[in-house]
Amino acid sequence: MNSAKGNIVYSFFLLLISPILGLLYGLKGLGRSGKLFILTVFGFFYGITLDYNLGDAGVHAKNLERYYNYDLIDFIERLIGILSLQPLIYSPTEPYLHIISSVAGSIFQSPTLLFGIVGAVYGYFYGNAILKVLREVNVRKFGFISGILVLLFVT
């Protein structure tokens, strides 16, 4: 196993033990694809640790129960309704939410997995955005406040 893959594996296992240390190690010592992988996995772990019994997350978890007995025909009917801007009653208005709710609800019946999938998707896209911003920024002019803002954006 070469050094880059070894660092990704080490960072991944460190992420399992201590997510913050794994994230910091991965962001410091990996290449662009490794950093994106670590940010995606960190987003997944962050999503599965959320308390989904309160607030907006509680509403999504409760709405997920409607997907427990859906089949492919129900999925397609609701997706067509969403895409034609005429969603069926008790159907989400966003295709993204409908697709991940179908995967987490009808296949796995797990609200925890719903938030894990959402965390992984956000981790991938936000991680990609952060890496692009950091690639364009001059490292010598990157100050303390900018570092805190990036850290807040990641967490």
Side-chain angles (χ1 to χ4, degrees):
M1 177 166 32
N2 62 16
S3 177
K5 287 191 178 190
N7 284 342
I8 290 175
V9 170
Y10 181 72
S11 182
F12 178 76
F13 283 118
L14 189 58
L15 192 69
L16 291 175
I17 296 168
S18 172
I20 297 296
L21 289 177
L23 178 68
L24 293 176
Y25 177 79
L27 291 177
K28 181 180 178 195
L30 296 176
R32 187 183 190 305
S33 62
K35 289 177 184 178
L36 189 57
F37 173 74
I38 290 300
L39 286 167
T40 303
V41 173
F42 180 79
F44 176 78
F45 286 140
Y46 182 76
I48 62 173
T49 60
L50 285 177
D51 181 17
Y52 53 84
N53 294 319
L54 302 172
D56 195 33
V59 173
H60 288 299
K62 190 161 189 74
N63 289 340
L64 187 68
E65 294 173 4
R66 293 190 183 110
Y67 285 88
Y68 285 177
N69 296 318
Y70 274 15
D71 58 5
L72 185 60
I73 295 170
D74 292 329
F75 171 78
I76 292 172
E77 285 177 357
R78 291 190 180 269
L79 185 61
I80 289 171
I82 293 169
L83 294 176
S84 65
L85 301 177
Q86 298 172 349
L88 300 174
I89 191 164
Y90 300 120
S91 181
T93 58
E94 304 167 355
Y96 163 75
L97 183 58
H98 176 62
I99 291 169
I100 62 170
S101 294
S102 295
V103 170
S106 65
I107 297 173
F108 298 107
Q109 297 185 356
S110 171
T112 304
L113 186 61
L114 171 71
F115 296 109
I117 293 170
V118 170
V121 169
Y122 283 151
Y124 176 80
F125 286 109
Y126 285 144
N128 209 357
I130 287 174
L131 292 175
K132 284 183 181 180
V133 166
L134 291 178
R135 185 177 55 197
E136 299 297 324
V137 171
N138 186 355
V139 177
R140 296 189 188 275
K141 293 183 180 179
F142 195 75
F144 179 72
I145 300 296
S146 300
I148 289 177
L149 290 174
V150 167
L151 185 63
L152 286 174
F153 189 63
V154 170
T155 58

